[in-house]
Amino acid sequence: MGPENDTITLSGVLLPEITGGRLSLLALQTIADLGKAWSLLDGSGTIYGMFVIEGLDLNKSVFFKDGGARRIEFTLKLKRVDDDLGTMLGDLQEQLSIMKDQATTAIGGLLS
C-alpha cells in the first residue's frame, strides 16, 4: 500500500467444510454488483481506505456428492476510490453530522 498503489489483488482459498463458502462468496458478489465503495480493514481494525471490487475470479475444485465445491480458490481485485485516509475520515465525519441532525429532527418531531 502507498500513495501510488490504488489497486490491490488478494488471493485465497475457501474450504466450505472449515471456512466460508457459498454464502461468503455470495456476499462478495453482491457487494461487487452494487458498485459501492467499502472500507478495507484488517483483523485489528486498521482502515486502509475505501475500495470497490473490480473483479472476483473463482476456481472450484474437489466436489461433494451434491456438486458443491469442497475447495474454492479466489482472486479479488480491489480499486481504491478515496484520495487518502484523511479525506475519507472527513467524509465520514460529515456523514455522521448529517445523520445526527436528521435523528435530532426526527426525535423532535416525535416529541412534539
Side-chain angles (χ1 to χ4, degrees), residues 48-62:
Y48 293 99
M50 300 294 286
F51 289 80
V52 294
I53 298 174
E54 287 196 320
L56 176 61
D57 295 320
L58 304 174
N59 183 18
K60 299 177 181 181
S61 61
V62 187

Side-chain angles (χ1 to χ4, degrees), residues 36-53:
K36 293 185 177 185
W38 296 82
S39 299
L40 178 62
L41 309 168
D42 67 15
S44 66
T46 302
I47 303 171
Y48 293 99
M50 300 294 286
F51 289 80
V52 294
I53 298 174

Side-chain angles (χ1 to χ4, degrees), residues 35 37 48 55 77 92:
Y48 293 99
K77 185 176 179 183
L92 289 175

Side-chain angles (χ1 to χ4, degrees), residues 94-112:
E94 181 181 338
Q95 291 174 17
L96 289 173
S97 177
I98 291 169
M99 289 172 42
K100 178 186 155 233
D101 293 344
Q102 291 174 344
T104 301
T105 301
I107 290 171
L110 290 174
L111 299 176
S112 299

Side-chain angles (χ1 to χ4, degrees), residues 50 80-94:
M50 300 294 286
R80 188 172 185 163
V81 295
D82 61 328
D83 294 330
D84 59 35
L85 192 56
T87 301
M88 184 189 74
L89 292 175
D91 291 345
L92 289 175
Q93 185 173 356
E94 181 181 338

Side-chain angles (χ1 to χ4, degrees), residues 18-77:
I18 302 168
T19 62
R22 190 175 65 84
L23 292 178
S24 299
L25 293 172
L26 181 60
L28 279 177
Q29 289 169 331
T30 301
I31 290 170
D33 290 344
L34 291 173
K36 293 185 177 185
W38 296 82
S39 299
L40 178 62
L41 309 168
D42 67 15
S44 66
T46 302
I47 303 171
Y48 293 99
M50 300 294 286
F51 289 80
V52 294
I53 298 174
E54 287 196 320
L56 176 61
D57 295 320
L58 304 174
N59 183 18
K60 299 177 181 181
S61 61
V62 187
F63 298 92
F64 293 106
K65 289 181 182 179
D66 67 358
R70 287 185 175 192
R71 180 179 178 87
I72 306 166
E73 296 178 41
F74 67 91
T75 302
L76 184 64
K77 185 176 179 183

